[in-house]
Amino acid sequence: MDVATSVAAIRAVLRQRGLQATSARIAVLQILSEGHRHRSVDELRSDVLTRYPAIDPATIYRTLETLELHGLVVRMELGDKRTRWALLTHDHHHLICRNCESVVEFDDELFHRLAGELTRRYGVQVEMHHLVLRGLCATCALTDS
Ligand SMILES: [Zn+2]
Ligand SMILES: [Zn+2]
């Protein structure tokens, strides 16, 4: 999906996945399509309600889970279980520092190669759309040793 996707395009995407185009689903997808950014549920809720005050805020989390199940949105858990949500516009991955929680985003090239290798070796079609790996960032690794 493109940045600032139109409602008509969102309806079409939902239909493609066999999902009903409810106003909550449209609203969540539209807000998430505006900029490639991972947002917390609280942030999302307030953005959705500002624009669509008629939407029941209690439905937003469930909406995200449904959209995730259908591969439209992805989540990223930060260290203290704060979850960030984003539209899955393209496969990408994250490295999160377990110490300072800084997040690095990187594209799919490396894992694309790894997935190909795993398929060759084990015959498994690996689905790697959004991996979140933990480790120590360069700064924290320096002070850790
Ligand atoms: Zn992501
Ligand atoms: Zn760090």
Side-chain angles (χ1 to χ4, degrees), residues 40-59:
S40 69
V41 176
D42 288 344
E43 250 182 299
L44 255 171
R45 193 180 287 123
S46 77
D47 286 355
V48 166
L49 293 180
T50 304
R51 204 172 314 168
Y52 302 94
I55 288 177
D56 175 3
T59 63

Side-chain angles (χ1 to χ4, degrees), residues 36 38 74 76 86 92 94 105 130:
H36 177 68
H38 294 61
V74 287
M76 170 170 68
H92 69 274
H94 300 277
E105 182 176 323
H130 191 254

Side-chain angles (χ1 to χ4, degrees), residues 46-129:
S46 77
D47 286 355
V48 166
L49 293 180
T50 304
R51 204 172 314 168
Y52 302 94
I55 288 177
D56 175 3
T59 63
I60 289 175
Y61 192 77
R62 189 155 28 92
T63 299
L64 284 165
E65 289 192 312
T66 304
L67 296 173
E68 180 188 38
L69 210 63
H70 288 80
L72 292 170
V73 305
V74 287
R75 71 170 87 191
M76 170 170 68
E77 306 271 1
L78 289 175
D80 57 357
K81 299 286 178 221
R82 282 174 297 135
T83 306
R84 295 277 186 280
W85 296 86
L87 207 63
L88 185 61
T89 46
H90 60 289
D91 291 356
H92 69 274
H93 313 290
H94 300 277
L95 295 168
I96 301 179
C97 177
R98 63 171 158 78
N99 190 48
C100 69
E101 292 199 342
S102 64
V103 178
V104 174
E105 182 176 323
F106 57 101
D107 70 24
D108 192 47
E109 203 203 312
L110 285 169
F111 284 100
H112 197 75
R113 267 187 278 152
L114 177 61
E117 186 58 31
L118 289 168
T119 304
R120 263 191 303 282
R121 283 197 202 181
Y122 305 104
V124 178
Q125 303 282 337
V126 186
E127 288 163 4
M128 290 191 271
H129 303 298

